[in-house]
Amino acid sequence: MKTKPDLSFWKLWNLSFGFFGVQIAYALQSGNVSRIFSTMGADPKSLGFFWILPPLMGMIVQPIVGVASDKTWTRFGRRIPYLIVGAVLAVLVMFLLPNAGSLSDVFWVAMTLGAFILMLLDTSLNMAMQPFKMMVGDIVNEKQKGLAYALQSFLCNAGQVVGFALPFLMTYIGFSNDATNGVPSSLKMAFYVGAIILIACVIYTSVKVKEMPPREYAEYHGITEEQASEKVSLVKLLKLAPTNYWRVAIVQFFCWAAFQYMWIHSTGAIADTCWHTTDSHSDAYQTAGDWVGIVLAVQALASVVWASLLPSIERRFGLKASYAVSLLIGAIGFVMVPFIHDQWQVFIPYALTGCTWAAMLALPFTIVTNALEGRPHMGTYLGLFNCAICLPQIVAGLINVFVVALMGSQANMLFVCCACLVMGAVSVYAIKDKQG
């Protein structure tokens, strides 16, 4: 098997630059879905049901993209065609989502249409996102994968800074933040601007990156013609998956459940604790909604910083210690949120959760792609691995109504986030030190 060559910094950068635009779109979605549907009249306890749709589509779409792209070879590349199609669809849907409430005067019809549009948005974003992780596994050698995923984490968080801040910036430059007649025009404009940036970034990566042709790919990955053409069921692939594939999935379950609850309840929690309101149509609630975008942007900035430190921390203390500590830092942040009543001080706990986010984006895929090195069906495996991200979000969404009733308020849901990250940190130590 030939050894994949080292890539220059800028080739690694170009490989993931489109991820910046995709994450702007994801940030706009995750930071504002609860706000959009609350403004449309949804009850806080029912918000979790809307949040089931994105991960559900991820569980369906990403394995399909993985299987299909493993078998796709075109002059445009192997993964890039799916990236382009997903990005174009995402742009179209981003213009629709903030206008969902105006599509019908009938409450349940508007809610249904909004849920359907949200489902389409996440379908397209999943199609656009998955190729970036696969291309790193395809093109980057084992030595540079840590750096490649760290760069991807950096671009992800940089994109999130922009996406989370866009609604606040649109209000700042003069667009109305009045929710009397539905979703504010400032929030709509944020989605429009995000859509334009998304397509520009994806075009850049599509032009700059050249994927390996089939023969070259087989030589660098030690895959015979027989293996390349072998048809293996998904069940058999999962049975043959390396041990760390499953152990990392357990850690991911707890981490993504925690962040699902954070996304669902941060707006309501901060509106309650810092602005003392639960009325989603009030000016105070909309102001809190804009502020949550800034808070999550600070979280993303902290993630950028922590992601830049992770490689050196990992070299000094080991991967598992770095992973576990990153999760525990986030747990401390989550437990602080309900006790803070000043809008400026809330930056502190969310900055701490940014350390967890950086680790969640970089370390699991480093471990898993290294464990899969030399195996065919890399894209299929990574598509299936996405279920470890989507399933916990679905479970969290399904039981949300019961957990909120148990905890008593949206602010108290941050305690649940803390407990999930503690369990995730403990689970890290089940991961094997050697790949397998």
Side-chain angles (χ1 to χ4, degrees):
M1 182 174 70
K2 292 174 64 176
T3 302
K4 285 181 273 187
D6 287 347
L7 301 179
S8 69
F9 173 86
W10 289 112
K11 284 187 177 180
L12 293 173
W13 175 272
N14 293 340
L15 192 61
S16 294
F17 184 74
F19 209 55
F20 174 78
V22 174
Q23 289 303 317
I24 289 176
Y26 259 118
L28 283 165
Q29 174 187 287
S30 60
N32 297 288
V33 163
S34 290
R35 180 182 177 185
I36 289 170
F37 284 99
S38 292
T39 303
M40 290 169 63
D43 183 89
K45 291 181 181 178
S46 68
L47 290 175
F49 294 113
F50 295 103
W51 282 89
I52 291 170
L53 295 173
L56 179 61
M57 296 315 300
M59 283 189 68
I60 297 170
V61 173
Q62 295 211 25
I64 291 174
V65 172
V67 172
S69 65
D70 275 345
K71 301 174 182 177
T72 299
W73 298 100
T74 71
R75 67 188 186 91
F76 298 106
R78 187 184 195 193
R79 318 292 186 184
I80 285 177
Y82 297 89
L83 166 61
I84 294 172
V85 171
V88 170
L89 291 174
V91 167
L92 296 175
V93 181
M94 285 178 72
F95 278 84
L96 284 175
L97 181 60
N99 293 293
S102 62
L103 297 178
S104 175
D105 293 329
V106 181
F107 174 76
W108 71 267
V109 174
M111 285 293 178
T112 302
L113 288 172
F116 179 72
I117 293 169
L118 176 61
M119 182 179 69
L120 289 179
L121 176 59
D122 213 76
T123 299
S124 55
L125 288 177
N126 272 289
M127 187 179 292
M129 181 180 70
Q130 191 67 359
F132 291 105
K133 300 184 185 302
M134 295 175 182
M135 286 192 293
V136 170
D138 289 347
I139 299 170
V140 181
N141 62 36
E142 186 171 335
K143 182 177 68 174
Q144 288 190 304
K145 274 182 185 171
L147 174 59
Y149 281 119
L151 276 175
Q152 200 166 93
S153 178
F154 170 82
L155 288 164
C156 169
N157 289 303
Q160 289 189 336
V161 170
V162 175
F164 286 134
L166 272 175
F168 180 89
L169 293 174
M170 294 301 105
T171 301
Y172 181 78
I173 64 177
F175 289 95
S176 173
N177 201 32
D178 181 16
T180 304
N181 297 314
V183 174
S185 59
S186 58
L187 187 53
K188 292 180 181 179
M189 186 56 62
F191 271 80
Y192 304 158
V193 172
I196 293 169
I197 298 173
L198 164 61
I199 196 65
C201 293
V202 166
I203 290 172
Y204 177 89
T205 285
S206 301
V207 170
K208 291 289 186 179
V209 173
K210 183 182 179 185
E211 297 187 75
M212 297 178 186
R215 182 173 295 178
E216 184 181 358
Y217 181 88
E219 290 174 352
Y220 279 118
H221 291 80
I223 298 171
T224 64
E225 290 185 13
E226 182 180 1
Q227 287 176 314
S229 60
E230 181 186 12
K231 293 183 178 180
V232 183
S233 70
L234 298 182
V235 173
K236 184 176 180 181
L237 283 177
L238 290 175
K239 286 181 179 180
L240 296 172
T243 304
N244 274 353
Y245 188 87
W246 297 108
R247 296 185 179 186
V248 174
I250 294 171
V251 181
Q252 290 280 80
F253 185 94
F254 292 117
C255 293
W256 285 91
F259 273 75
Q260 179 76 331
Y261 283 135
M262 181 202 74
W263 290 321
I264 294 173
H265 296 293
S266 282
T267 298
I270 292 175
D272 186 6
T273 58
C274 296
W275 273 267
H276 311 293
T277 183
T278 57
D279 179 6
S280 61
H281 290 93
S282 67
D283 290 342
Y285 188 95
Q286 295 303 320
T287 300
D290 281 348
W291 193 251
V292 167
I294 299 301
V295 168
L296 294 177
V298 169
Q299 179 192 70
L301 280 171
S303 295
V304 171
V305 174
W306 193 252
S308 67
L309 297 174
L310 266 178
S312 58
I313 294 172
E314 181 185 336
R315 283 194 297 271
R316 182 168 182 179
F317 299 103
L319 187 148
K320 290 198 293 189
S322 304
Y323 200 172
V325 168
S326 297
L327 302 190
L328 291 175
I329 291 172
I332 293 169
F334 280 134
V335 82
M336 292 170 63
V337 175
F339 300 105
I340 293 176
H341 303 285
D342 180 272
Q343 68 183 85
W344 297 96
Q345 292 178 8
V346 82
F347 286 148
I348 298 171
Y350 277 86
L352 295 178
T353 63
C355 299
T356 298
W357 183 244
M360 285 168 58
L361 291 177
L363 300 182
F365 285 97
T366 301
I367 298 168
V368 168
T369 54
N370 283 342
L372 293 171
E373 188 67 35
R375 295 178 182 233
H377 313 293
M378 173 77 78
T380 304
Y381 270 118
L382 290 181
L384 291 170
F385 184 70
N386 189 63
C387 294
I389 294 172
C390 298
L391 184 61
Q393 295 179 70
I394 293 171
V395 172
L398 285 172
I399 67 174
N400 178 71
V401 62
F402 306 107
V403 182
V404 173
L406 179 66
M407 299 305 295
S409 72
Q410 292 195 74
N412 288 343
M413 289 298 294
L414 280 298
F415 293 133
V416 179
C417 299
C418 170
C420 288
L421 289 188
V422 170
M423 289 186 283
V426 172
S427 301
V428 165
Y429 287 92
I431 298 171
K432 295 171 67 175
D433 291 317
K434 293 184 178 180
Q435 299 301 328

